[in-house]
PDB file of all heavy atoms in Angstrom:
ATOM      1  N   CYS A  82      96.976  91.892 104.790  1.00 87.00           N
ATOM      2  CA  CYS A  82      98.167  91.088 105.056  1.00 87.00           C
ATOM      3  C   CYS A  82      97.758  89.623 105.035  1.00 87.00           C
ATOM      4  O   CYS A  82      97.132  89.117 105.974  1.00 87.00           O
ATOM      5  CB  CYS A  82      98.783  91.439 106.403  1.00 87.00           C
ATOM      6  SG  CYS A  82      99.489  93.093 106.467  1.00 87.00           S
ATOM      7  N   ASP A  83      98.108  88.952 103.966  1.00 85.00           N
ATOM      8  CA  ASP A  83      97.740  87.558 103.805  1.00 85.00           C
ATOM      9  C   ASP A  83      98.656  86.940 102.766  1.00 85.00           C
ATOM     10  O   ASP A  83      98.735  87.439 101.640  1.00 85.00           O
ATOM     11  CB  ASP A  83      96.278  87.432 103.375  1.00 85.00           C
ATOM     12  CG  ASP A  83      95.789  85.990 103.408  1.00 85.00           C
ATOM     13  OD1 ASP A  83      96.541  85.133 103.902  1.00 85.00           O
ATOM     14  OD2 ASP A  83      94.658  85.738 102.939  1.00 85.00           O
ATOM     15  N   GLY A  84      99.360  85.886 103.146  1.00 84.00           N
ATOM     16  CA  GLY A  84     100.282  85.269 102.197  1.00 84.00           C
ATOM     17  C   GLY A  84     101.420  86.206 101.867  1.00 84.00           C
ATOM     18  O   GLY A  84     102.068  86.753 102.751  1.00 84.00           O
ATOM     19  N   ALA A  85     101.668  86.426 100.580  1.00 88.00           N
ATOM     20  CA  ALA A  85     102.796  87.254 100.151  1.00 88.00           C
ATOM     21  C   ALA A  85     102.481  88.742 100.159  1.00 88.00           C
ATOM     22  O   ALA A  85     103.352  89.548  99.847  1.00 88.00           O
ATOM     23  CB  ALA A  85     103.239  86.838  98.745  1.00 88.00           C
ATOM     24  N   GLN A  86     101.261  89.130 100.522  1.00 92.00           N
ATOM     25  CA  GLN A  86     100.862  90.532 100.427  1.00 92.00           C
ATOM     26  C   GLN A  86     100.705  91.168 101.805  1.00 92.00           C
ATOM     27  O   GLN A  86     100.038  90.616 102.678  1.00 92.00           O
ATOM     28  CB  GLN A  86      99.540  90.661  99.669  1.00 92.00           C
ATOM     29  CG  GLN A  86      99.605  90.151  98.237  1.00 92.00           C
ATOM     30  CD  GLN A  86      98.276  90.259  97.520  1.00 92.00           C
ATOM     31  OE1 GLN A  86      97.240  90.473  98.147  1.00 92.00           O
ATOM     32  NE2 GLN A  86      98.303  90.127  96.202  1.00 92.00           N
ATOM     33  N   CYS A  87     101.353  92.294 101.973  1.00 93.00           N
ATOM     34  CA  CYS A  87     101.143  93.126 103.167  1.00 93.00           C
ATOM     35  C   CYS A  87     101.641  94.513 102.803  1.00 93.00           C
ATOM     36  O   CYS A  87     102.710  94.958 103.233  1.00 93.00           O
ATOM     37  CB  CYS A  87     101.875  92.559 104.376  1.00 93.00           C
ATOM     38  SG  CYS A  87     101.398  93.359 105.941  1.00 93.00           S
ATOM     39  N   ASP A  88     100.862  95.220 101.997  1.00 94.00           N
ATOM     40  CA  ASP A  88     101.346  96.416 101.317  1.00 94.00           C
ATOM     41  C   ASP A  88     101.359  97.661 102.182  1.00 94.00           C
ATOM     42  O   ASP A  88     102.191  98.544 101.978  1.00 94.00           O
ATOM     43  CB  ASP A  88     100.490  96.690 100.074  1.00 94.00           C
ATOM     44  CG  ASP A  88     101.069  97.784  99.203  1.00 94.00           C
ATOM     45  OD1 ASP A  88     102.173  97.571  98.654  1.00 94.00           O
ATOM     46  OD2 ASP A  88     100.434  98.846  99.079  1.00 94.00           O
ATOM     47  N   SER A  89     100.451  97.762 103.155  1.00 92.00           N
ATOM     48  CA  SER A  89     100.288  99.067 103.813  1.00 92.00           C
ATOM     49  C   SER A  89      99.852  98.935 105.267  1.00 92.00           C
ATOM     50  O   SER A  89      98.992  99.670 105.734  1.00 92.00           O
ATOM     51  CB  SER A  89      99.263  99.917 103.051  1.00 92.00           C
ATOM     52  OG  SER A  89      98.030  99.223 102.945  1.00 92.00           O
ATOM     53  N   PHE A  90     100.484  98.017 105.994  1.00 91.00           N
ATOM     54  CA  PHE A  90     100.086  97.819 107.390  1.00 91.00           C
ATOM     55  C   PHE A  90     101.313  97.738 108.277  1.00 91.00           C
ATOM     56  O   PHE A  90     102.288  97.052 107.947  1.00 91.00           O
ATOM     57  CB  PHE A  90      99.261  96.533 107.526  1.00 91.00           C
ATOM     58  CG  PHE A  90      98.833  96.249 108.938  1.00 91.00           C
ATOM     59  CD1 PHE A  90      97.821  96.985 109.533  1.00 91.00           C
ATOM     60  CD2 PHE A  90      99.458  95.264 109.684  1.00 91.00           C
ATOM     61  CE1 PHE A  90      97.435  96.736 110.836  1.00 91.00           C
ATOM     62  CE2 PHE A  90      99.078  94.999 110.990  1.00 91.00           C
ATOM     63  CZ  PHE A  90      98.056  95.739 111.567  1.00 91.00           C
ATOM     64  N   CYS A  91     101.262  98.466 109.409  1.00 90.00           N
ATOM     65  CA  CYS A  91     102.343  98.399 110.402  1.00 90.00           C
ATOM     66  C   CYS A  91     101.825  98.302 111.826  1.00 90.00           C
ATOM     67  O   CYS A  91     102.615  98.181 112.754  1.00 90.00           O
ATOM     68  CB  CYS A  91     103.264  99.613 110.261  1.00 90.00           C
ATOM     69  SG  CYS A  91     104.633  99.329 109.112  1.00 90.00           S
ATOM     70  N   GLY A  92     100.531  98.398 112.027  1.00 83.00           N
ATOM     71  CA  GLY A  92      99.979  98.205 113.357  1.00 83.00           C
ATOM     72  C   GLY A  92      99.694  99.475 114.121  1.00 83.00           C
ATOM     73  O   GLY A  92      98.624  99.641 114.666  1.00 83.00           O
ATOM     74  N   ASP A  93     100.645 100.394 114.170  1.00 81.00           N
ATOM     75  CA  ASP A  93     100.454 101.663 114.872  1.00 81.00           C
ATOM     76  C   ASP A  93     100.602 102.814 113.896  1.00 81.00           C
ATOM     77  O   ASP A  93     101.190 102.669 112.813  1.00 81.00           O
ATOM     78  CB  ASP A  93     101.467 101.803 116.009  1.00 81.00           C
ATOM     79  CG  ASP A  93     100.997 101.109 117.267  1.00 81.00           C
ATOM     80  OD1 ASP A  93     101.100  99.866 117.318  1.00 81.00           O
ATOM     81  OD2 ASP A  93     100.517 101.798 118.183  1.00 81.00           O
ATOM     82  N   ALA A  94     100.110 103.958 114.298  1.00 84.00           N
ATOM     83  CA  ALA A  94     100.068 105.114 113.411  1.00 84.00           C
ATOM     84  C   ALA A  94     101.467 105.503 112.935  1.00 84.00           C
ATOM     85  O   ALA A  94     102.434 105.481 113.712  1.00 84.00           O
ATOM     86  CB  ALA A  94      99.404 106.295 114.112  1.00 84.00           C
ATOM     87  N   VAL A  95     101.551 105.865 111.670  1.00 88.00           N
ATOM     88  CA  VAL A  95     102.818 106.315 111.111  1.00 88.00           C
ATOM     89  C   VAL A  95     103.289 107.559 111.849  1.00 88.00           C
ATOM     90  O   VAL A  95     102.484 108.396 112.267  1.00 88.00           O
ATOM     91  CB  VAL A  95     102.667 106.582 109.598  1.00 88.00           C
ATOM     92  CG1 VAL A  95     101.716 107.730 109.331  1.00 88.00           C
ATOM     93  CG2 VAL A  95     104.016 106.861 108.954  1.00 88.00           C
ATOM     94  N   GLY A  96     104.591 107.670 112.049  1.00 82.00           N
ATOM     95  CA  GLY A  96     105.144 108.841 112.730  1.00 82.00           C
ATOM     96  C   GLY A  96     105.247 108.680 114.235  1.00 82.00           C
ATOM     97  O   GLY A  96     105.728 109.580 114.918  1.00 82.00           O
ATOM     98  N   THR A  97     104.794 107.544 114.781  1.00 89.00           N
ATOM     99  CA  THR A  97     104.896 107.310 116.220  1.00 89.00           C
ATOM    100  C   THR A  97     106.081 106.399 116.509  1.00 89.00           C
ATOM    101  O   THR A  97     106.525 105.636 115.662  1.00 89.00           O
ATOM    102  CB  THR A  97     103.614 106.665 116.760  1.00 89.00           C
ATOM    103  OG1 THR A  97     103.414 105.398 116.105  1.00 89.00           O
ATOM    104  CG2 THR A  97     102.412 107.553 116.497  1.00 89.00           C
ATOM    105  N   GLY A  98     106.583 106.485 117.740  1.00 92.00           N
ATOM    106  CA  GLY A  98     107.652 105.586 118.152  1.00 92.00           C
ATOM    107  C   GLY A  98     109.042 106.128 117.880  1.00 92.00           C
ATOM    108  O   GLY A  98     109.212 107.193 117.278  1.00 92.00           O
ATOM    109  N   PRO A  99     110.069 105.399 118.318  1.00 95.00           N
ATOM    110  CA  PRO A  99     111.456 105.857 118.167  1.00 95.00           C
ATOM    111  C   PRO A  99     111.894 105.837 116.709  1.00 95.00           C
ATOM    112  O   PRO A  99     111.304 105.158 115.865  1.00 95.00           O
ATOM    113  CB  PRO A  99     112.256 104.843 118.994  1.00 95.00           C
ATOM    114  CG  PRO A  99     111.406 103.618 119.009  1.00 95.00           C
ATOM    115  CD  PRO A  99     109.986 104.095 119.007  1.00 95.00           C
ATOM    116  N   VAL A 100     112.961 106.597 116.435  1.00 96.00           N
ATOM    117  CA  VAL A 100     113.533 106.670 115.090  1.00 96.00           C
ATOM    118  C   VAL A 100     114.988 106.209 115.166  1.00 96.00           C
ATOM    119  O   VAL A 100     115.746 106.669 116.026  1.00 96.00           O
ATOM    120  CB  VAL A 100     113.462 108.106 114.524  1.00 96.00           C
ATOM    121  CG1 VAL A 100     114.143 108.177 113.157  1.00 96.00           C
ATOM    122  CG2 VAL A 100     112.004 108.561 114.414  1.00 96.00           C
ATOM    123  N   THR A 101     115.372 105.307 114.285  1.00 97.00           N
ATOM    124  CA  THR A 101     116.748 104.819 114.207  1.00 97.00           C
ATOM    125  C   THR A 101     117.437 105.464 113.015  1.00 97.00           C
ATOM    126  O   THR A 101     116.870 105.502 111.913  1.00 97.00           O
ATOM    127  CB  THR A 101     116.785 103.289 114.046  1.00 97.00           C
ATOM    128  OG1 THR A 101     116.128 102.682 115.164  1.00 97.00           O
ATOM    129  CG2 THR A 101     118.219 102.782 113.972  1.00 97.00           C
ATOM    130  N   THR A 102     118.647 105.968 113.220  1.00 96.00           N
ATOM    131  CA  THR A 102     119.418 106.575 112.140  1.00 96.00           C
ATOM    132  C   THR A 102     120.343 105.538 111.524  1.00 96.00           C
ATOM    133  O   THR A 102     121.114 104.888 112.234  1.00 96.00           O
ATOM    134  CB  THR A 102     120.237 107.776 112.650  1.00 96.00           C
ATOM    135  OG1 THR A 102     119.338 108.763 113.181  1.00 96.00           O
ATOM    136  CG2 THR A 102     121.045 108.396 111.525  1.00 96.00           C
ATOM    137  N   LEU A 103     120.244 105.385 110.217  1.00 96.00           N
ATOM    138  CA  LEU A 103     121.062 104.433 109.480  1.00 96.00           C
ATOM    139  C   LEU A 103     121.892 105.169 108.444  1.00 96.00           C
ATOM    140  O   LEU A 103     121.648 106.336 108.145  1.00 96.00           O
ATOM    141  CB  LEU A 103     120.170 103.399 108.767  1.00 96.00           C
ATOM    142  CG  LEU A 103     119.151 102.643 109.611  1.00 96.00           C
ATOM    143  CD1 LEU A 103     118.293 101.748 108.717  1.00 96.00           C
ATOM    144  CD2 LEU A 103     119.832 101.828 110.685  1.00 96.00           C
TER     145      LEU A 103
END
Side-chain angles (χ1 to χ4, degrees):
C82 292
D83 189 8
Q86 299 179 346
C87 191
D88 189 65
S89 56
F90 179 74
C91 270
D93 276 78
V95 65
T97 61
V100 176
T101 301
T102 300
L103 306 176

